[in-house]
Amino acid sequence: MDLFKRILIITGLVVVLFFCEAIFANFFEQLFHPNLLILLVIFVDLHLGIRYGILTAILAGLLKDSFSSNIFGLQITSYLICVYATTLCRRYLFYDMEF
């Protein structure tokens, strides 16, 4: 049940942040255009691990690709590259230091 709950929360966050990005893009136009979904992908990857990070990247990229006029799969690929880069940085650059 915990797996289903996490997937549901991740899906809800992806949808909410996608709509927030759309509102910011329409309301502020070129002045303020944050990429909230990539921040969510990085956060989920660091907090829950690579499996949930990949799930978040696929959901966010699929939603963003569905509503854009770019090549389909471009956002999914960029989010997946971000997940793998974040995982590599966490694995090889972040050391647990105990004080």
Side-chain angles (χ1 to χ4, degrees):
M1 193 61 165
D2 189 42
L3 175 70
F4 180 71
K5 185 177 175 182
R6 284 185 178 179
I7 291 173
L8 191 64
I9 289 171
I10 288 172
T11 305
L13 283 173
V14 166
V15 170
V16 166
L17 290 179
F18 176 75
F19 284 126
C20 286
E21 278 186 10
I23 289 170
F24 284 140
N26 289 332
F27 189 67
F28 293 112
E29 294 182 10
Q30 297 297 326
L31 182 65
F32 183 64
H33 189 72
N35 196 346
L36 300 174
L37 288 175
I38 202 155
L39 293 175
L40 178 69
V41 167
I42 292 170
F43 174 76
V44 168
D45 184 39
L46 290 175
H47 187 66
L48 296 175
I50 191 168
R51 290 182 182 151
Y52 291 107
I54 290 173
L55 173 72
T56 308
I58 290 173
L59 288 174
L62 186 65
L63 189 63
K64 228 172 171 180
D65 278 337
S66 297
F67 288 98
S68 72
S69 60
N70 292 336
I71 300 169
F72 190 79
L74 189 65
Q75 293 293 326
I76 295 173
T77 306
S78 65
Y79 287 158
L80 285 174
I81 290 171
C82 181
V83 167
Y84 286 121
T86 305
T87 303
L88 288 175
C89 287
R90 184 181 73 192
R91 187 171 293 164
Y92 295 114
L93 297 178
F94 177 72
Y95 299 106
D96 284 330
M97 301 174 76
E98 297 181 15
F99 294 103

